[in-house]
């Protein structure tokens, strides 16, 4: 019988692989938060419009990002089996599917202002949000292609560079925003349109840097040679695995976007406070995203050897790490809610007090769902590493759209709890997802939970 790897060793390996991913994920989110901060300093209407418009952009983006997510476990499995040809083919077809999806995304969001009116947003928010989307949709391809390259680099365990590239992009985005939103450094004052243009420039630079690094570090894979050549078999495999991944992510992001839409029915101040609270919650969530991506890579490698005991230990270690961090997040949210929210609102903003008061209350509610939010993303990512995506997609849809959104609506409007009611509804949806997906993970692990053949090394 092979000696099994201790849990503490799995935790160390996850941290070693995952901390650069956490840093890169957090830096990537801070790029988006920079937009929110600067637009909040510029104008509350622009902040509210960017909150709901960005929500729509992200809902569409996350579906296409499923193809990039599929690249991670598939390439990790291929590399573990010594199949470099399949690793190359998978990555290429991930890029192909991203290109195809861009046309769908542009078609969906081209008339963004009309879409925002259709979902009940105030006219000023719809107009500003439409301006943002008309520009931001042009950034879908560099954003999706960059995501595919990050997934490839993670699968071959080249994660540190992602942090440095994303940190450089963070600085560039701040400079672009400073110039284009406010009209500094000789640039025109474009307001919310400047934020959209800054995002496109940043996504494009990141994509180019990631592609160049992948080619430099793994020239043996020849990722971009004859990239125009189609590969129907691999494309079908990436599509089959990636579409449910995108569907599950759509369900989760739909919960938050749907809540943003309903918050917009209450008013601009409520929507602005909601947007700030979401930003703060997402900052903490980036740890879980980065570590869960590391778990996908590690599980994918073990899955390539069909090593059930090591898969189980990796899953258990990933849950433990996220739960420990959840304690830290809860403490921050309960101790400093008003201080955190105030960072997003200009000192001379007439509605500053109202935004801070409401936002602080929402941040304290966010402390309630730290454990369940961590649990659902870790379970989902472990299942993805095992290339189990279809059933998790339906479990996510049931949790977020069958439980979370209806509960939020009932609590927020018929029962009259308004914004806090919407957030309690989100908490219920996340709790249901954590429960359902964890049960699914335990059942899947049980299928592989046997001693590996002699000679299989633990790792």
């Amino acid at each position: 019988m092979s000696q099994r790897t201790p849990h503490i060793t799995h935790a160390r390996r996850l941290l070693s692989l995952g901390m650069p991913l956490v840093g890169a994920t957090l830096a990537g989110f801070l790029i988006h938060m920079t937009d929110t901060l600067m637009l909040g300093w510029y104008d509350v209407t622009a902040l509210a419009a960017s909150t709901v418009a960005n929500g729509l952009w992200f809902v569409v983006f996350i579906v296409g990002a499923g193809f990039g997510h599929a690249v991670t476990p598939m390439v990790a499995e291929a590399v573990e089996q010594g199949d470099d040809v399949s690793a190359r083919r998978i990555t290429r077809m991930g890029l192909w599917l991203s290109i195809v999806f861009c046309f769908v995304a542009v078609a969906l969001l081209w008339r963004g202002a009309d879409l925002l009116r259709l979902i009940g947003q105030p006219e000023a928010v719809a107009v500003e949000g439409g301006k943002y989307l008309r520009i931001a949709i042009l950034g879908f391809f560099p954003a999706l292609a960059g995501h595919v390259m990050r997934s490839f680099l993670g699968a071959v365990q080249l994660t540190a560079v992602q942090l440095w590239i994303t940190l450089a992009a963070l600085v560039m985005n701040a400079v672009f925003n400073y110039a284009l939103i406010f009209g500094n450094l000789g640039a025109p004052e474009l307001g919310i349109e400047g934020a959209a243009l800054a995002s496109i420039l940043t996504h494009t630079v990141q994509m180019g840097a990631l592609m160049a690094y992948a080619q430099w570090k793994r020239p043996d894979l020849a990722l971009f040679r004859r990239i125009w050549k189609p590969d129907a078999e691999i494309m079908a495999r990436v599509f089959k695995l990636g579409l449910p991944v995108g569907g599950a992510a759509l369900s989760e992001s739909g919960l938050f976007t749907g809540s943003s839409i309903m918050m917009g029915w209450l008013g601009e101040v409520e929507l602005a406070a909601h947007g700030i609270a979401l930003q703060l919650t997402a900052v903490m969530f980036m740890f879980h995203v980065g570590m869960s991506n590391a778990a996908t890579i590690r599980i994918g490698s073990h899955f390539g050897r069909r090593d059930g005991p090591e898969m189980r230990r990796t899953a258990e270690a990933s849950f433990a790490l996220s739960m420990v961090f959840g304690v830290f997040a809860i403490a921050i949210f309960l101790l400093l809610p008003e201080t955190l929210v105030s960072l997003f609102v200009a000192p001379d903003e007439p509605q500053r007090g109202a935004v801070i008061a409401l936002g602080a209350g929402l941040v304290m509610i966010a402390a309630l769902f730290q454990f369940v939010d961590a649990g659902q993303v870790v379970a989902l990512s472990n299942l993805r590493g095992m290339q189990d995506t279809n059933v998790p997609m339906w479990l996510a849809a049931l949790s977020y759209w069958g439980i979370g959104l209806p509960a939020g609506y009932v609590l927020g409007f018929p029962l009259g709890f308004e914004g806090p009611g919407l957030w309690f509804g989100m908490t219920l949806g996340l709790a249901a997802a954590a429960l359902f997906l964890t049960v699914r993970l335990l059942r899947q692990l049980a299928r592989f939970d046997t001693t590996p053949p002699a000679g299989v090394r633990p790792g």
Side-chain angles (χ1 to χ4, degrees):
M1 181 181 296
S2 299
Q3 183 180 2
R4 307 318 310 166
T5 308
H7 286 87
I8 189 65
T9 302
H10 279 291
R12 287 171 181 159
R13 289 172 178 171
L14 283 168
L15 286 169
S16 177
L17 182 63
M19 287 310 294
L21 293 175
V22 171
T25 305
L26 178 59
F29 180 77
L30 289 176
I31 291 174
H32 172 63
M33 182 177 278
T34 301
D35 295 347
T36 303
L37 276 168
M38 291 191 172
L39 285 172
W41 297 337
Y42 184 75
D43 181 70
V44 166
T45 300
L47 173 59
S50 70
T51 296
V52 70
N54 253 318
L56 289 177
W57 190 94
F58 187 74
V59 163
V60 177
F61 170 82
I62 205 67
V63 177
F67 305 124
H69 282 304
V71 166
T72 301
M74 293 177 71
V75 170
E77 181 187 20
V79 169
E80 183 63 35
Q81 296 174 346
D83 189 355
D84 288 350
V85 173
S86 289
R88 174 174 65 245
R89 294 166 69 195
I90 290 163
T91 306
R92 286 178 173 179
M93 291 305 100
L95 290 170
W96 269 60
L97 287 168
S98 296
I99 294 172
V100 172
F101 184 80
C102 289
F103 292 99
V104 177
V106 171
L108 288 172
L109 296 181
W110 182 251
R111 297 181 65 85
D114 291 338
L115 183 58
L116 291 171
R117 293 187 186 99
L118 183 65
I119 58 179
Q121 298 306 299
E123 179 62 21
V125 170
V127 170
E128 289 298 298
K131 292 178 182 178
Y132 181 90
L133 286 171
R134 185 63 66 92
I135 297 172
I137 55 177
L138 301 178
F140 268 110
F141 174 68
L144 287 171
H147 179 64
V148 171
M149 297 314 302
R150 279 190 292 271
S151 297
F152 164 79
L153 289 169
V156 297
Q157 303 198 25
L158 294 173
T159 57
V161 69
Q162 298 186 44
L163 172 60
W164 301 114
I165 290 175
T166 312
L167 285 173
L170 172 62
V171 175
M172 285 187 292
N173 186 68
V175 173
F176 291 150
N177 272 327
Y178 176 74
L180 295 171
I181 293 176
F182 300 97
N184 295 314
L185 305 178
E189 181 181 341
L190 299 177
I192 195 170
E193 293 172 294
L197 184 57
S199 295
I200 293 175
L201 294 172
T202 303
H203 286 313
T204 302
V205 171
Q206 282 184 288
M207 177 192 70
L210 289 164
M211 287 181 169
Y213 185 82
Q215 178 62 32
W216 175 54
K217 293 297 288 186
R218 292 304 302 265
D220 54 306
L221 292 180
L223 288 176
F224 308 112
R225 188 173 64 201
R226 296 192 299 275
I227 195 172
W228 58 85
K229 185 178 179 181
D231 191 334
E233 176 193 353
I234 294 296
M235 182 181 289
R237 285 181 55 199
V238 175
F239 182 85
K240 183 179 179 181
L241 184 65
L243 189 62
V245 174
L250 172 64
S251 297
E252 182 185 2
S253 63
L255 171 69
F256 291 99
T257 301
S259 298
S260 295
I261 291 169
M262 289 190 283
M263 193 69 77
W265 299 344
L266 297 173
E268 285 187 15
V269 169
E270 289 81 0
L271 183 56
H274 173 77
I276 292 170
L278 283 181
Q279 296 286 306
L280 292 169
T281 303
V283 167
M284 296 301 180
F285 187 62
M286 292 304 104
F287 177 87
H288 307 301
V289 171
M291 293 308 302
S292 65
N293 286 338
T296 298
I297 297 165
R298 295 290 299 165
I299 289 279
S301 295
H302 299 317
F303 182 76
R305 300 193 303 275
R306 301 303 188 264
D307 191 342
E310 294 298 273
M311 290 162 61
R312 177 176 290 276
R313 286 170 173 78
T314 295
E316 290 168 349
S318 64
F319 270 98
L321 289 171
S322 283
M323 294 304 108
V324 169
F325 184 80
V327 174
F328 168 76
I330 290 171
I332 293 295
F333 284 159
L334 293 180
L335 293 173
L336 302 170
E338 293 186 355
T339 301
L340 294 171
V341 174
S342 67
L343 298 174
F344 291 80
V345 189
D348 58 350
E349 169 57 47
Q351 302 182 89
R352 174 182 171 86
V355 172
I356 292 175
L358 180 55
L362 299 181
V363 168
M364 294 183 74
I365 296 173
L368 292 176
F369 63 64
Q370 291 306 301
F371 289 138
V372 292
D373 202 12
Q376 61 84 24
V377 72
V378 171
L380 191 62
S381 297
N382 277 287
L383 288 166
R384 186 186 308 147
M386 301 164 68
Q387 301 189 27
D388 177 26
T389 59
N390 282 308
V391 171
M393 175 185 69
W394 295 111
L395 293 176
L398 171 63
S399 301
Y400 301 129
W401 293 354
I403 297 174
L405 278 176
Y409 175 79
V410 170
L411 290 169
F413 296 97
L415 295 183
F417 291 102
E418 297 188 339
L422 292 173
W423 276 68
F424 281 120
M426 290 193 295
T427 303
L428 289 174
L430 291 165
L435 174 62
F436 296 153
L437 291 169
T438 300
V439 170
R440 173 68 178 180
L441 175 61
L442 292 174
R443 290 179 175 175
Q444 291 297 90
L445 287 171
R447 294 177 53 216
F448 296 94
D449 203 6
T450 57
T451 302
V456 175
R457 60 178 177 84

